[in-house]
Amino acid sequence: MENNSEIFNQIVEKRKSYRVFDSKNKIPDEVVKRSLERAILSPNSSNMQLWEFYIVKKEEDIKTLGSICMNQSGAKTASQMVVFVCRPDKWKHRQQAMVKNLDNTFKSKDAPGAKGAYQYYEQLIPMMYNTSFAFAKDALKKVFVAYKGLKKPFVRDVMSKNITIVANKSVALAAQTFMLSISAEGYDSLPMEGFDSKRLKQFLNLPKKASICMVVSVGEGKPEGLYGPRFRLPYNDVVFEV
Ligand SMILES: Cc1cc2nc3c(=O)[nH]c(=O)nc-3n(C[C@H](O)[C@H](O)[C@H](O)COP(=O)(O)O)c2cc1C
């Protein structure tokens, strides 16, 4: 097997949060596109792909988004920005796509392995993501989960409040793949959660149930955009062998 660990290490080490970008050197559109294509390959919960990615690159839009991102220099000087959005409200569309994918994978619903897969996407997924009558459903789920978990392990975080967390985990992984790809392409990035989510949703014309995971600025980082050497806690403070 080919060992690419040295290359991967370089990419990981090179990725740092830059707070100032060179406004003269624009990032090529293809770099952003390739990096988003890679981001889309990220692992995600149940392969539901409850994500959307909004590229912002017009000068006036960067200005507006810069102000929504609290006028942070890493936002205002960005060459382009990508908004990583969670769309749990699109669960029905994604579920239908997954069922269609099962139809293409299995010859029939009785084929080996098909039954469980169809059951998962046709029954369990709607139970998790359909938030109509959430209050009543959550009350029932609580009793059900407590009962099922009495004697053996059972997945407990299936309440309506967990849906946004589930979606955010997957979208954050996509953001990380994106940033590592930007680093591999020779450019720099800055992830941000310092923004006015209400104004940002209005700017992107997003519905109430969408939520913003992160805004990522990209471009050519300037040396003064690095605020000091990288600091991390010692390995043994955060890694434990069980
Ligand atoms: C979810 C998330 C939100 C962040 N929000 C901001 C932000 O709003 N502004 C900022 O300057 N940096 C932000 N950062 C960058 C972190 O401060 C940075 O990743 C951290 O200090 C470690 O530095 P490094 O990325 O250079 O390794 C954010 C990072 C993450 C992962």
Side-chain angles (χ1 to χ4, degrees):
M1 195 181 76
E2 201 183 350
N3 185 335
N4 292 316
S5 89
E6 216 16 77
I7 298 167
F8 184 66
N9 194 50
Q10 279 172 27
I11 294 165
V12 170
E13 291 278 358
K14 189 185 158 288
R15 187 221 56 83
K16 287 180 180 147
S17 292
Y18 278 78
R19 271 91 182 191
V20 184
F21 295 94
D22 190 341
S23 53
K24 282 184 234 110
N25 289 323
K26 298 287 178 206
I27 192 166
D29 287 350
E30 314 85 72
V31 168
V32 176
K33 184 168 189 268
R34 269 200 300 274
S35 297
L36 282 172
E37 282 167 349
R38 291 168 187 149
I40 287 167
L41 300 182
S42 301
N44 66 93
S45 183
S46 301
N47 206 14
M48 285 287 279
Q49 302 165 64
L50 295 166
W51 50 32
E52 282 177 348
F53 312 95
Y54 290 81
I55 302 168
V56 179
K57 61 182 186 185
K58 282 194 218 117
E59 214 168 293
E60 68 266 28
D61 289 339
I62 299 262
K63 237 185 211 165
T64 307
L65 191 44
S67 114
I68 291 172
C69 291
M70 318 308 294
N71 280 317
Q72 298 190 52
S73 58
K76 284 194 303 184
T77 62
S79 173
Q80 296 196 22
M81 292 161 104
V82 177
V83 187
F84 287 77
V85 179
C86 306
R87 292 303 303 264
D89 54 310
K90 290 214 162 171
W91 71 270
K92 186 105 198 153
H93 171 261
R94 306 308 201 248
Q95 179 231 16
Q96 282 166 352
M98 284 308 294
V99 170
K100 210 168 180 184
N101 184 47
L102 293 182
D103 293 341
N104 294 333
T105 308
F106 297 108
K107 290 214 164 60
S108 84
K109 284 194 175 186
D110 302 319
K115 197 175 163 211
Y118 276 101
Q119 225 169 36
Y120 186 79
Y121 283 103
E122 289 183 333
Q123 290 167 30
L124 284 175
I125 286 290
M127 258 161 45
M128 173 82 187
Y129 286 101
N130 188 349
T131 53
S132 46
F133 309 107
F135 186 74
K137 280 188 199 156
D138 278 354
L140 283 174
K141 277 187 204 168
K142 246 183 216 160
V143 177
F144 181 71
V145 161
Y147 171 72
K148 291 294 272 187
L150 267 180
K151 293 214 170 102
K152 56 180 186 176
F154 195 75
V155 178
R156 289 164 194 266
D157 299 332
V158 293
M159 307 300 150
S160 52
K161 68 172 185 205
N162 298 116
I163 291 172
T164 312
I165 300 170
V166 168
N168 261 287
K169 287 184 211 175
S170 299
V171 178
L173 287 177
Q176 175 67 343
T177 305
F178 175 73
M179 288 187 283
L180 288 178
S181 170
I182 292 290
S183 166
E185 295 272 0
Y187 288 88
D188 303 298
S189 62
L190 173 68
M192 283 172 288
E193 59 191 350
F195 50 77
D196 179 329
S197 56
K198 188 175 170 193
R199 283 191 166 80
L200 185 43
K201 275 160 73 169
Q202 277 164 355
F203 174 68
L204 297 176
N205 221 353
L206 290 170
K208 218 173 153 198
K209 284 188 175 169
S211 66
I212 316 283
C213 174
M214 238 178 276
V215 179
V216 178
S217 287
V218 290
E220 194 172 306
K222 286 182 104 177
E224 63 266 34
L226 278 182
Y227 292 173
R230 174 122 75 187
F231 166 74
R232 288 295 192 268
L233 296 165
Y235 182 88
N236 287 334
D237 278 11
V238 294
V239 180
F240 307 95
E241 209 171 304
V242 180

